[in-house]
Amino acid sequence: IIREAMGQCDLIIYQQKTTLYGFKLSAYNFTDLCGWLDVITLEIYLNERDTSEVSIKATAGSTGIMPLLIPLSPLFNALLCWVPFSDQGCNSRLLRDIWKQIHEQI
């Protein structure tokens, strides 16, 4: 259900790990217009007493101040990693979309 919800939100899952508490999914998303790269990580905690219950800790972040559409932007983003910037709420919207997709499937 969770992988399908992430796929419905146009995320590309690049890592899935089994952990002591459950598992962890990491995915990325390129924004449509300029090609900013956003990274989403979901940590899924399995309930030991009730296997039908899970808790999800979600984090999202943008990887740089410059979109990947600009030549050499990965280099400039690495050099400018200390510069704070706003993503205009894109990561929050993406996490809300994943949450909605999961709830629609339940």
Side-chain angles (χ1 to χ4, degrees), residues 73-89:
S73 63
L75 175 65
F76 291 123
N77 283 334
L79 294 172
L80 298 171
C81 66
W82 55 273
V83 176
F85 65 97
S86 173
D87 72 345
Q88 313 299 320

Side-chain angles (χ1 to χ4, degrees), residues 36-56:
W36 268 285
L37 178 63
D38 299 326
V39 177
I40 309 295
T41 302
L42 300 180
E43 294 180 59
I44 295 89
Y45 298 88
L46 303 175
N47 185 335
E48 293 177 5
R49 295 182 188 151
D50 183 359
T51 57
S52 66
E53 275 188 32
V54 297
S55 298
I56 301 173

